[in-house]
């Protein structure tokens, strides 16, 4: 029995009590929850429903708790219910009701943990979106890991998700990139505001190889060639790096397309229809201050050029036109000031910013060795790139480490810890359980222990304290997934997996799955194999949500 199943049972019991006593059914909540008590002696689960409903129902909480306890005690799978304090319900399950979860998990396989919590939501999730002027740097690496994990979580919770990478292939940054490539190809120093690093020389050489006569052109034509070909080559490299990191996008969206298709003008016209456009000093402005922004924003400058904010407006409108009812954008710490203007822009289009637009801000990441930041990249000169991260930690450790912490918290990742083959390394600690559960199953087979048919499973034999602890931890997984998706916080999954790993290690230490010596194979061994395999299923599912492998051997 999962916590969700038990919570539903508690709510059904409350409804029965209310109907019997003629109480107002409208006071009942649509859902309720149960929690694991800190002290296991207080029961398997606890409910505060009687405390929540007592005042609404006009019944003393402890009196209501007594009626709920009596009703719950008659429910299948409930062993006993005790009343504590002013009306807490401490619930104990019988072993069979608790143990059957192991079979359910194994039979559900990769679907265990999936839910319909977000069914019906169509979400556009944009992350990374680094400009194609250099390799993906440390901030983008964090969003690659967190964003991809979040997309998996949202889908597991039932949402329809479109992942998107938006890249700016127009504007001043691309101009500086092209000038830097041209200077490198000519053997000249990079422009004062240009880009450095070995990758510039590599891309410049590749452009010349693809367009051998480029340096014979005048500077205007040569610059255009370096712009066009250089961006293509740089972005191809970015996509390859992300693919090798296990991150794939449904859509790669070019800012230039917004210009070419006239979508900036379309967005301006839509905003004008909404009555939020005004002209001043020869420029066209959006009156965002009406919706909480600290100042109004220019969409089109007096010289006729569009602003970056105009492209932001057009891009948001494009997403909404494609049928996404919620736009989620992940931005770096230096973009905190964007929140106010983007929320106001959403409102100017007539949308509800609280419903239609979410902006997640990720804080800084430092890669450290011996307590000192690792700052120099082999190729980018002054920043740490995705390749540097993977070279230092590996794909699994990098993804797990970056997804393990709340995105709004700065983090320092110590290379020594995250490459250590010990329990101090969180990803090793979790992956070791994946490997151990696999090897336990192999050893069990060699000893003649098999799960047998589902109907032969005897869950009532899982009565050991450590078996009970492991089962309760396994039962929490679906709620962790749903909550992580709703909060947009994948780190809850990682922390849960570490808790599960600890529960399994304790089970492994005290509950043998395989017989010793000439000891015969028993139904207890078989039941424990179901529990072992259920643990591997949940570890693999959880690691999969983070984009991390569940190895068979370490």
């Amino acid at each position: 029995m999962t916590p969700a199943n038990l919570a539903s049972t508690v709510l059904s019991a409350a409804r029965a009590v209310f109907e019997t006593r003629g109480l107002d059914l409208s006071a009942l909540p649509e859902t309720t929850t149960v929690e694991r008590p800190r002290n296991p002696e207080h029961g398997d689960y606890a409910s505060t429903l009687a405390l929540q409903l007592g005042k609404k129902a006009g019944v003393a909480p402890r009196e209501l708790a007594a009626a709920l306890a009596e009703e719950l005690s008659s429910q299948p799978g409930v062993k006993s219910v005790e009343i504590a304090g002013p009306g807490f319900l401490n619930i104990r399950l019988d072993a069979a009701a608790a143990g059957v979860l192991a079979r359910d998990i194994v039979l559900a396989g990769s679907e265990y943990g999936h839910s319909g919590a977000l069914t019906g939501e169509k979400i556009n999730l944009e992350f990374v979106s680094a400009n194609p002027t250099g390799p993906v740097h440390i901030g983008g690496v964090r969003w690659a890991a967190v964003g991809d994990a979040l997309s998996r979580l949202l889908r597991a919770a039932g949402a329809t998700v479109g992942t998107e990478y938006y890249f700016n292939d127009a504007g001043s940054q691309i101009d500086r990139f092209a000038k830097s490539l041209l200077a490198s190809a000519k053997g000249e120093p990079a422009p004062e505001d240009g880009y450095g690093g070995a990758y510039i020389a590599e891309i410049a050489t590749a452009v010349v190889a693809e367009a051998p006569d480029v340096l014979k052109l005048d500077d205007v034509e040569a610059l255009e060639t370096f712009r066009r070909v250089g961006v293509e080559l740089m972005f191809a490299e970015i996509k390859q790096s992300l693919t090798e990191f296990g991150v794939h996008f449904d859509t790669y969206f070019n800012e230039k397309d917004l210009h070419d298709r006239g979508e900036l003008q379309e967005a301006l016209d839509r905003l004008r229809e909404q009555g939020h456009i005004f002209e001043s000093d020869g420029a066209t402005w959006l009156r965002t201050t009406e919706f909480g922004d600290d100042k109004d924003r220019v969409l089109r400058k007096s010289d006729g050029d569009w602003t970056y904010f105009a492209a932001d407006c057009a891009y948001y409108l494009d997403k909404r036109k494609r049928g996404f009812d919620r736009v989620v954008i992940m931005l770096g710490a230096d973009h905190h000031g964007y929140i106010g203007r983007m929320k106001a822009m959403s409102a100017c289009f007539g949308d509800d910013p609280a419903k239609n637009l979410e902006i997640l801000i990720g804080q800084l990441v430092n890669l450290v060795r011996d307590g000192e930041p690792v700052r120099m990249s082999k190729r980018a000169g002054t920043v740490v790139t995705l390749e540097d991260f993977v070279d230092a930690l590996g794909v699994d450790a990098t993804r797990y480490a970056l997804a393990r912490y709340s995105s709004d918290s700065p983090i320092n990742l110590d290379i020594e810890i995250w490459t250590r083959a010990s329990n101090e390394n969180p990803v090793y600690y979790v992956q070791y359980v994946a490997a151990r559960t696999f090897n336990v199953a192999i050893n069990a087979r060699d000893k003649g222990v098999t799960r047998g048919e589902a109907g032969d499973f005897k869950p009532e034999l899982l009565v050991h304290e450590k078996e009970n602890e492991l089962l309760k931890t396994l039962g929490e997984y679906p709620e962790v997934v749903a909550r992580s998706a709703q909060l947009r916080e994948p780190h809850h999954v990682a922390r849960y997996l570490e808790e599960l790993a600890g529960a399994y290690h304790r089970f492994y230490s005290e509950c043998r799955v395989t017989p010793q010596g000439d000891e015969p194979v028993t139904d207890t061994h078989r039941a424990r194999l179901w529990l072992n395999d259920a643990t591997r299923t949940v570890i693999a599912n959880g690691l999969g949500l983070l984009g991390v492998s569940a190895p068979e051997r370490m």
Side-chain angles (χ1 to χ4, degrees):
M1 183 180 289
T2 67
N5 296 145
L6 179 57
S8 178
T9 299
V10 170
L11 194 55
S12 296
R15 178 172 291 278
V17 168
F18 270 50
E19 289 175 344
T20 300
R21 292 189 166 213
L23 300 176
D24 182 8
L25 292 174
S26 67
L28 293 172
E30 292 186 6
T31 60
T32 189
T33 59
V34 294
E35 297 179 352
R36 286 169 61 184
R38 292 182 180 178
N39 185 349
E41 293 181 2
H42 293 165
D44 296 322
Y45 295 98
S47 170
T48 60
L49 188 61
L51 292 170
Q52 298 168 25
L53 294 179
K55 186 175 181 180
K56 293 180 181 178
V59 179
R62 193 170 174 88
E63 179 186 343
L64 183 57
L68 280 172
E70 182 179 356
E71 180 66 29
L72 271 173
S73 297
S74 66
Q75 299 300 313
V78 177
K79 181 179 181 181
S80 65
V81 183
E82 297 174 356
I83 305 167
F88 295 99
L89 294 173
N90 291 332
I91 307 167
R92 286 180 171 82
L93 304 179
D94 64 41
V100 75
L101 178 65
R103 180 187 62 195
D104 292 346
I105 291 172
V106 173
L107 296 180
S110 62
E111 291 300 306
Y112 181 68
H114 286 212
S115 72
L118 298 180
T119 296
E121 291 201 29
K122 190 172 184 182
I123 300 172
N124 180 282
L125 179 63
E126 179 199 340
F127 57 100
V128 183
S129 294
N131 290 327
T133 55
V136 178
H137 60 75
I138 194 166
V141 180
R142 184 174 198 177
W143 276 141
V146 175
D148 189 62
L150 181 54
S151 72
R152 296 168 188 242
L153 274 167
L154 293 171
R155 289 176 175 130
T160 299
V161 181
T163 56
E164 199 141 319
Y165 186 120
Y166 175 78
F167 66 98
N168 173 359
D169 53 353
S172 59
Q173 291 180 324
I174 300 300
D175 290 340
R176 296 200 302 272
F177 177 63
K179 290 176 183 177
S180 301
L181 294 177
L182 178 57
S184 177
K186 288 182 173 182
E188 299 172 354
E192 186 175 340
D193 59 349
Y195 295 91
Y199 78 93
I200 288 292
E202 294 171 11
I203 297 294
T205 300
V207 173
V208 172
E210 189 164 319
D213 296 330
V214 63
L215 295 179
K216 298 177 183 178
L217 303 173
D218 62 59
D219 280 357
V220 173
E221 291 179 308
L223 195 62
E224 179 55 34
T225 299
F226 275 101
R227 180 200 314 274
R228 176 179 55 80
V229 180
V231 166
E232 290 177 357
L233 291 170
M234 189 73 255
F235 197 65
E237 181 178 315
I238 290 172
K239 290 172 71 173
Q240 181 62 31
S241 296
L242 289 168
T243 297
E244 292 172 356
F245 195 52
V247 177
H248 307 272
F249 290 90
D250 299 316
T251 301
Y252 290 92
F253 196 102
N254 300 28
E255 180 189 346
K256 190 172 181 292
D257 289 344
L258 295 171
H259 293 262
D260 294 344
R261 297 196 299 244
E263 292 193 48
L264 280 80
Q265 184 63 50
E266 180 184 345
L268 188 149
D269 293 342
R270 179 77 66 90
L271 293 166
R272 194 184 299 279
E273 290 173 6
Q274 295 287 337
H276 303 300
I277 295 293
F278 68 97
E279 311 290 332
S280 179
D281 300 325
T284 302
W285 298 69
L286 181 63
R287 194 173 279 107
T288 52
T289 52
E290 289 186 352
F291 298 99
D293 195 8
D294 59 342
K295 62 182 180 180
D296 295 324
R297 304 290 171 174
V298 176
L299 295 177
R300 199 163 198 171
K301 296 182 283 188
S302 57
D303 62 5
D305 287 345
W306 295 100
T307 63
Y308 283 120
F309 184 61
D312 291 336
C313 294
Y315 186 36
Y316 173 81
L317 183 60
D318 181 275
K319 291 176 178 178
R320 295 285 283 122
K321 284 166 54 183
R322 282 186 272 145
F324 293 105
D325 46 45
R326 189 180 294 271
V327 173
V328 181
I329 307 172
M330 298 175 137
L331 298 173
D334 57 340
H335 287 73
H336 201 277
Y338 277 51
I339 297 177
R341 75 188 72 169
M342 293 294 286
K343 290 283 189 178
M345 173 268 292
S346 171
C348 287
F349 276 119
D351 282 349
D352 178 355
K355 175 185 177 183
N356 301 116
L357 177 64
E358 290 180 39
I359 298 179
L360 309 179
I361 299 294
Q363 295 300 322
L364 299 176
V365 182
N366 288 314
L367 191 62
V368 302
R369 179 185 283 114
D370 298 326
E372 295 296 323
V374 176
R375 298 190 182 279
M376 301 301 290
S377 167
K378 298 173 185 175
R379 298 181 64 237
T382 58
V383 296
V384 177
T385 68
L386 173 54
E387 288 77 9
D388 298 323
F389 246 117
V390 172
D391 286 347
L393 304 182
V395 171
D396 278 351
T398 298
R399 291 192 60 135
Y400 189 96
L402 292 172
R404 184 177 184 262
Y405 301 92
S406 174
S407 299
D408 59 7
S409 300
I411 53 175
N412 292 320
L413 300 181
D414 191 317
I415 292 174
E416 298 302 318
I417 290 177
W418 287 95
T419 55
R420 195 173 293 164
S422 75
N423 290 344
E424 295 175 87
N425 177 353
V427 69
Y428 179 89
Y429 184 63
V430 174
Q431 286 186 315
Y432 187 78
V433 171
R436 171 166 275 181
T437 52
F438 178 82
N439 289 323
V440 164
I442 295 298
N443 292 336
R445 183 193 64 193
D446 293 344
K447 293 279 189 177
V449 181
T450 61
R451 293 198 308 258
E453 298 298 323
D456 298 328
F457 173 54
K458 292 183 168 52
E460 67 274 10
L461 297 176
L462 299 175
V463 295
H464 193 282
E465 175 188 354
K466 300 308 177 186
E467 294 167 345
N468 185 259
E469 178 192 359
L470 181 54
L471 283 162
K472 284 189 285 188
T473 306
L474 290 169
E476 292 177 350
Y477 178 68
E479 184 182 346
V480 170
V481 173
R483 185 174 73 250
S484 298
Q486 290 167 332
L487 296 176
R488 319 299 194 234
E489 295 179 343
H491 68 275
H492 294 296
V493 174
R495 298 310 176 101
Y496 164 82
L497 290 174
E498 291 162 36
E499 180 185 351
L500 176 58
Y504 179 80
H505 285 309
R506 291 186 288 275
F507 158 79
Y508 179 86
S509 296
E510 298 195 28
C511 303
R512 291 192 59 82
V513 176
T514 55
Q516 290 182 293
D518 296 330
E519 181 184 357
V521 174
T522 67
D523 286 336
T524 297
H525 293 124
R526 298 186 185 95
R528 287 175 175 172
L529 181 57
W530 280 94
L531 184 52
N532 174 84
D533 293 357
T535 303
R536 175 164 175 82
T537 296
V538 175
I539 288 284
N541 289 357
L543 287 172
L545 290 177
L546 302 179
V548 177
S549 68
E552 296 179 352
R553 290 178 175 78
M554 295 286 284

